Amino acid sequence: MGRGWASRLKKGETLLVGSIFYWGHGIVKNPRRGLFDLEKAERLIVAQDRLAGTFGLGSALDVVAQTPEAMIRYIDFVAGATEGPIFIDAVDAGVRLAGAGHALEIGLGDRAVYNSIAPWTELEELEALRDLGVRYGVLFTARKGNGRLGIEERSKLLPGLLQKARAARLTPLVDLLLLEAKELAPLSRLAMKMREALPHPIGCGTGNVTTTWKVPGGREEAGAMGAALNAVASLYMDFLLYGPIEGAREVFPAVGAAKLTGLPL
């Protein structure tokens, strides 16, 4: 997407973020060391970028790692395989910070996105982000332990999260935490309100739904349903973390078609 990608999200360009090297990803040979099948990884990334170009959509990678060593190895690889944003994702803050620091060291400051800052993120981590000079970060509107939150409860978390973003001196992307397909309608209404009120990109993780729901049929049926969910969500969100990158072949055409409709009215 090149420089200025974040500002374009507020002008109707939807960013589709595919996860790679995630837990259980078949291309990963050693998750602790970050060893993986280079050819298969490159094919997945090239395919996503090709689909993005075909349908006029933005694309990015959510790089998931278990250790600092793995994260650094993954970032080095994807930085040369694509020109899009790189979301730096890990359960452990130390792994995320190691990845963010390395990304800045090798000149990826305009592409690195810290994923994520949550209500429970402590000051020490925010100060580390500030000192590193990280430019972008995802604000995660969740409750620790994945406790259920109502739609309005998620919106009430936002002021505190924005304060954390200011403490870290980064530009936020707001993840509204989609947990079930039936939440998409009220979450989309909230997203529309936030998009009007805030200068920041607003999105959600549709992959939270498509990687856990029980659907009739096999992989083809699940892929079609996931594509439909992402197509609808793309009409109201600036970015979507759509889940495993293997889903790109269904998600990108569906979102491309949704963009042609001129909706929402």
Side-chain angles (χ1 to χ4, degrees), residues 3-265:
R3 295 178 182 274
W5 60 269
S7 62
R8 293 202 297 277
L9 299 187
K10 296 297 291 183
K11 299 176 182 178
E13 183 169 323
T14 301
L15 181 68
L16 298 179
V17 187
S19 295
I20 191 167
F21 311 126
Y22 50 85
W23 289 72
H25 198 177
I27 67 172
V28 177
K29 299 176 180 178
N30 186 324
R32 301 293 299 175
R33 295 185 59 199
L35 303 179
F36 60 96
D37 188 315
L38 277 71
E39 291 185 4
K40 289 182 179 179
E42 185 172 20
R43 283 200 296 270
L44 289 169
I45 295 169
V46 168
Q48 177 177 266
D49 282 350
R50 178 183 58 80
L51 287 163
T54 298
F55 294 101
L57 300 166
S59 65
L61 295 172
D62 183 49
V63 175
V64 185
Q66 296 183 24
T67 67
E69 179 185 359
M71 180 65 82
I72 289 169
R73 184 168 279 122
Y74 294 157
I75 289 174
D76 284 342
F77 175 78
V78 301
T82 184
E83 296 181 353
I86 300 169
F87 286 55
I88 298 169
D89 191 354
V91 173
D92 184 77
V95 178
R96 293 193 299 268
L97 289 170
H102 181 68
L104 268 67
E105 284 179 4
I106 63 174
L108 300 178
D110 59 335
R111 295 170 57 190
V113 183
Y114 194 79
N115 190 17
S116 59
I117 294 172
W120 56 88
T121 299
E122 296 183 357
L123 180 60
E124 182 180 4
E125 186 175 350
L126 301 175
E127 290 176 340
L129 289 169
R130 180 198 63 200
D131 294 342
L132 287 170
V134 175
R135 299 181 191 175
Y136 303 105
V138 175
L139 303 184
F140 191 42
T141 57
R143 176 181 290 161
K144 196 167 188 178
N146 290 323
R148 290 288 174 171
L149 282 174
I151 302 299
E152 289 304 317
E153 287 180 285
R154 288 171 223 181
S155 68
K156 291 176 182 177
L157 292 174
L158 191 56
L161 286 168
L162 289 172
Q163 186 175 359
K164 290 180 183 290
R166 287 191 291 270
R169 296 180 186 170
L170 52 74
T171 299
L173 290 74
V174 180
D175 180 350
L176 291 179
L177 182 61
L178 180 68
L179 291 173
E180 299 180 86
K182 65 183 181 181
E183 292 182 337
L184 185 56
L187 203 68
S188 295
R189 286 192 290 270
L190 176 60
M192 294 291 281
K193 292 179 182 178
M194 286 187 171
R195 289 172 74 188
E196 291 180 0
L198 297 172
H200 314 304
I202 309 296
C204 69
T206 46
N208 296 332
V209 177
T210 59
T211 57
T212 59
W213 61 2
K214 306 297 182 184
V215 298
R219 189 199 178 284
E220 289 187 4
E221 289 80 2
M225 291 180 68
L229 181 74
N230 279 281
V232 175
S234 72
L235 299 173
Y236 304 95
M237 306 287 176
D238 298 311
F239 67 94
L240 298 173
L241 291 139
Y242 70 82
I245 192 172
E246 286 83 355
R249 60 186 178 182
E250 292 98 7
V251 170
F252 278 77
V255 172
K259 292 296 185 180
L260 293 175
T261 65
L263 293 169
L265 298 176

